[in-house]
Amino acid sequence: MSDGIEYTIEKVRVLRINESKTIAQRKADGWEFVSQQPLTLRTEITFRRPKRKLPKGWVIGVSAGAAVLTIAAISFGIASEQNEPTTPVAEISQPTRSEPSQIPSETPSRPPITPTAEAVESTTTSDINASLTALLELEDYCDPSIGRFVEKYEGDTISFPANIAAIAPHDGATTRYDILIGSGEYSESSARGPAFQFRDVNTTDDLKYVGAVPDVIDVGMNLNVTARVDAYEPNSCLLLLSPVAIAMR
C-alpha cells in the first residue's frame, strides 16, 4: 500500500440498527474504520489494521504457515442477503482472536430448530408442526414457501425457540416498537427461517410474558415464542405475528 504498511482487511455485515455499536467495538479492538456500504437489510462495513509481525523464533502450528479465517457477520437474527455472493468477505493471514470461523464451501453446523413442546399443545394437528419445522430450517427468508405457509395457517397459533434480531420504534413512537424475531439461538454470523415480526407493540403488556419478566429487552435475547400467524408481506418478506405467550430462556 502507499504508506508501506501491510493491512488486514475485514468486511462485516450487520443490521443497520447495529452499525454504531459494531464500529465502536471494532475500534476498541484496534481496527480502523474504512467505509460502509448499505445493502438490502444490512450494512457491509470495511475495517483494516496493520498486520502483526511474528517475533523471531516463533513457530505457528498451522498448515502452510498460515490460517485463513473467514468472517461473515449476519444479524437477523436472521437472514441472508438475497443474491449476495457467498465468497469469503475477509481473509486474515494469522488469527488474532478467537472468533467463529465460516468456511465458504461448507454450511455452518447448527442443530436443527424444532417447535417447542407448547407448539404441540397450541396447534390442532401434527401437520402444522411438520410444516413449521421445515419453515424454521429455510435458508432464504424470502422463500416462496413462507407465503404458502401463511395462506394455509393464517390465524393458527405456533410456538418455536426464537431470538430478538432487531428492535426499532414504530413510526417514530417512543413506546411502540417493531421487533424482528429470528428462529433458534441468536447469532451474528448466521440465521435460518423467516423474518418474523411483532409490529406496533409495547415491550410490556403486548408481549404476554410467561414466567420471569425482563427489566428490558434487547437484541440477542433468546425466547420461546408462542404467537398467532397474521400475515405475510411479499415485498418486505416479513411474516407478521401477534404475541400469545413469550418466555425468556
Side-chain angles (χ1 to χ4, degrees):
M1 305 182 75
S2 59
D3 56 9
I5 301 175
E6 188 175 1
Y7 289 92
T8 293
I9 304 297
E10 184 172 312
K11 296 179 185 287
V12 178
R13 292 176 184 169
V14 300
L15 290 171
R16 294 177 183 175
I17 194 173
N18 291 333
E19 290 173 1
S20 299
K21 179 180 177 182
T22 300
I23 292 173
Q25 289 176 338
R26 294 285 174 165
K27 285 184 176 180
D29 289 340
W31 292 90
E32 176 186 350
F33 171 79
V34 177
S35 64
Q36 61 187 58
Q37 175 66 40
L39 302 174
T40 304
L41 293 177
R42 296 174 295 284
T43 297
E44 183 177 87
I45 307 175
T46 302
F47 301 92
R48 72 175 186 178
R49 68 179 175 189
K51 289 186 176 180
R52 297 180 181 177
K53 295 183 179 179
L54 294 175
K56 292 182 179 180
W58 277 28
V59 177
I60 307 302
V62 292
S63 61
V68 177
L69 176 64
T70 301
I71 308 295
I74 304 174
S75 175
F76 155 59
I78 6 155
S80 60
E81 286 294 329
Q82 285 185 286
N83 303 321
E84 292 286 339
T86 57
T87 53
V89 296
E91 291 187 351
I92 301 178
S93 58
Q94 71 176 79
T96 58
R97 63 186 185 194
S98 57
E99 291 185 279
S101 61
Q102 181 178 350
I103 307 303
S105 61
E106 299 178 357
T107 301
S109 177
R110 292 182 56 184
I113 304 171
T114 56
T116 58
E118 290 85 354
V120 178
E121 298 173 359
S122 60
T123 54
T124 56
T125 66
S126 60
D127 177 61
I128 187 173
N129 291 293
S131 298
L132 177 59
T133 299
L135 192 77
L136 298 177
E137 293 297 328
L138 292 174
E139 297 184 358
D140 181 1
Y141 71 100
C142 284
D143 192 286
S145 65
I146 300 173
R148 295 193 293 270
F149 177 90
V150 174
E151 287 179 2
K152 186 174 183 180
Y153 298 113
E154 181 179 356
D156 286 332
T157 300
I158 58 175
S159 282
F160 59 98
N163 64 80
I164 299 177
I167 304 175
H170 176 74
D171 291 342
T174 57
T175 60
R176 310 290 297 180
Y177 300 92
D178 296 333
I179 303 177
L180 193 65
I181 300 295
S183 60
E185 300 296 310
Y186 177 77
S187 171
E188 291 186 349
S189 61
S190 62
R192 289 180 293 181
F196 299 102
Q197 187 187 64
F198 295 151
R199 180 173 294 175
D200 189 16
V201 295
N202 63 38
T203 58
T204 53
D205 296 339
D206 288 349
L207 293 188
K208 315 291 185 184
Y209 292 113
V210 174
V213 177
D215 294 330
V216 296
I217 65 169
D218 199 0
V219 173
M221 285 184 167
N222 292 316
L223 325 163
N224 281 326
V225 167
T226 301
R228 186 181 69 247
V229 178
D230 283 348
Y232 178 65
E233 296 181 344
N235 292 336
S236 63
C237 298
L238 291 173
L239 197 168
L240 306 184
L241 302 176
S242 289
V244 173
I246 304 297
M248 309 305 294
R249 60 184 179 92

